[in-house]
Amino acid sequence: MNPNKPLGLTPSMGWNSWNTFTWDINEQLVRDVADLFISEGYKDAGYEYIVIDDCWSLKERDENGNLKADPIKFPSGMRALADYVHAKGLKFGMYSCVGTHTCAGYPGSFEHEFQDALLFAEWGVDFLKYDFCFKPRHISGELMYKRMSLALKNCGRDILFSACNWGEDNVYQWIRESGAHMYRSTGDIQDHWDSIKNLTLSQLDKECYTGSFCHNDMDMLVVGMYGGSNNDFIGSKIGGCSDNEYKTHFSLWSIMGSPLMIGCDIRNANQATKDILLNHDLIAINQDIEGRGAYRIKPEPQWFHSDDVFMLVKVLTNGDLAIGFFNLSDSQRELSLQFWDIGLPYASGISLSLYDCWEHKELGVYKERFSPVVPAHDCLVVRAKLVN
Ligand code: GAL
């Protein structure tokens, strides 16, 4: 293990094939993504894992019971692909499942956990997403995640363990102890505003469980998809979002400490998409080394606002605060933050110097309160510094 950056210290950042490509994956796509990670600045921004999701294998194991990569999609084999990704200074991720089959019907790792972990290590895998379909009913999911965690931790290679049980069985109550580095807390995201909003609202009271070495994964990002997916459920028939909605989505995932796994086709990313995904001020908040969850505050006057209008405050390592003003409602709102509510009484004489993390500019120094007007489905994220 690299002692300088232990696995899972901060939320993972990378790209995953599922949201856009589902079954239509191949080694050239993975190589293209790796190349773009370098040439377009994703690696410099912190993205490192390139993850192949479901549909990479043959439908049967080989005569020794090993998983086999589909030779049409991956003719050079997984080891060669991992080598390609590693040569770029990036990390390589793959996918399997707790059950007898993956969700798309390929072989799962049930009763092959230790064998598969060794194979993944041999192939040079650095990240394993572990899904929840076809789990035999008589066995608890909790036990299955403990089992694969043990297999991965003893396979001879550092492999980040990304559990994906969609938030079933109150996963947040036991997943940290199981050894997983991140855990999906929700059902599948869709490339649609309502999905982003509902996933967010479902996790607002779970922020106390996320943190270093075991991060609440609110699912892969849909930023930049614009409805472009060959999965009807995720995108193509659903419609996509506006750039402002993608910006709000990225802000929520960043400040709530979710892994940032890109789900769009970065080969065709437009400038708006790149500006969102490569926003270094938001990424710095997400990757803050203490890895604290964010707490929620209702804007004043509290009786006036619905639950989809709120502020999130994340305490950062250097004493700054990241503060997001989120308006997930359908009409413009003023979100008034009283500094008293974040531990800053007027009598202290201390003000906040605010920096806008989307416009990348200083907003000035404020005392006692700050009350931005935020359009519908939009947000303002500031980094606040205490000043005398
Ligand atoms: C789902 C999972 C998705 C994707 C898909 C593959 O269960 O939540 O993120 O991995 O399976 O079939």
Side-chain angles (χ1 to χ4, degrees), residues 114-337:
F114 289 84
Q115 177 178 11
D116 290 353
L118 287 178
L119 184 67
F120 290 135
E122 229 172 81
W123 283 347
V125 169
D126 306 297
F127 177 115
L128 183 73
K129 174 172 170 181
Y130 206 47
D131 217 336
F132 203 51
C133 285
F134 295 103
K135 178 186 73 64
R137 295 219 177 110
H138 63 285
I139 292 182
S140 82
E142 181 176 343
L143 184 59
M144 291 296 92
Y145 283 99
K146 284 181 177 150
R147 194 191 279 186
M148 188 47 117
S149 168
L150 203 55
L152 290 175
K153 285 196 188 308
N154 291 279
C155 71
R157 187 176 173 85
D158 284 347
I159 300 185
L160 189 142
F161 188 26
S162 164
C164 175
N165 86 333
W166 323 308
E168 297 286 308
D169 305 330
N170 295 328
V171 64
Y172 54 89
Q173 291 179 348
W174 49 265
I175 192 71
R176 181 174 289 274
E177 297 95 296
S178 79
H181 300 100
M182 55 195 265
Y183 62 99
R184 267 280 296 284
S185 51
T186 64
D188 287 15
I189 195 168
Q190 297 177 311
D191 184 16
H192 187 267
W193 172 251
D194 290 345
S195 172
I196 292 168
K197 175 172 169 173
N198 292 336
L199 294 188
T200 300
L201 295 179
S202 77
Q203 295 310 304
L204 283 177
D205 63 349
K206 303 286 188 318
E207 279 287 282
C208 53
Y209 300 100
T210 197
S212 304
F213 304 112
C214 194
H215 304 275
N216 181 340
D217 172 11
M218 290 160 59
D219 206 353
M220 282 94 67
L221 299 165
V222 292
V223 175
M225 286 180 64
Y226 302 106
S229 168
N230 58 16
N231 184 327
D232 289 351
F233 175 74
I234 294 176
S236 56
K237 295 234 170 83
I238 303 258
C241 301
S242 69
D243 288 334
N244 266 356
E245 290 169 341
Y246 286 139
K247 173 188 132 190
T248 304
H249 165 38
F250 192 77
S251 302
L252 286 161
W253 266 232
S254 293
I255 201 165
M256 291 176 78
S258 178
L260 300 175
M261 301 299 289
I262 299 169
C264 71
D265 182 357
I266 61 167
R267 297 172 308 179
N268 305 315
N270 64 14
Q271 195 54 45
T273 298
K274 285 189 227 164
D275 288 346
I276 294 172
L277 294 174
L278 298 173
N279 182 328
H280 55 92
D281 287 319
L282 263 296
I283 291 172
I285 291 169
N286 179 260
Q287 295 292 305
D288 185 75
I289 212 76
E290 285 191 4
R292 296 185 189 281
Y295 63 88
R296 173 177 29 166
I297 294 187
K298 279 199 100 175
E300 294 290 340
Q302 296 202 6
W303 59 266
F304 177 77
H305 290 289
S306 41
D307 285 345
D308 49 10
V309 180
F310 53 86
M311 286 138 345
L312 289 176
V313 182
K314 174 168 166 146
V315 175
L316 302 175
T317 309
N318 75 342
D320 290 357
L321 298 171
I323 309 176
F325 298 80
F326 292 100
N327 178 9
L328 311 191
S329 82
D330 295 333
S331 54
Q332 177 173 290
R333 296 292 178 87
E334 181 180 274
L335 277 77
S336 189
L337 174 69

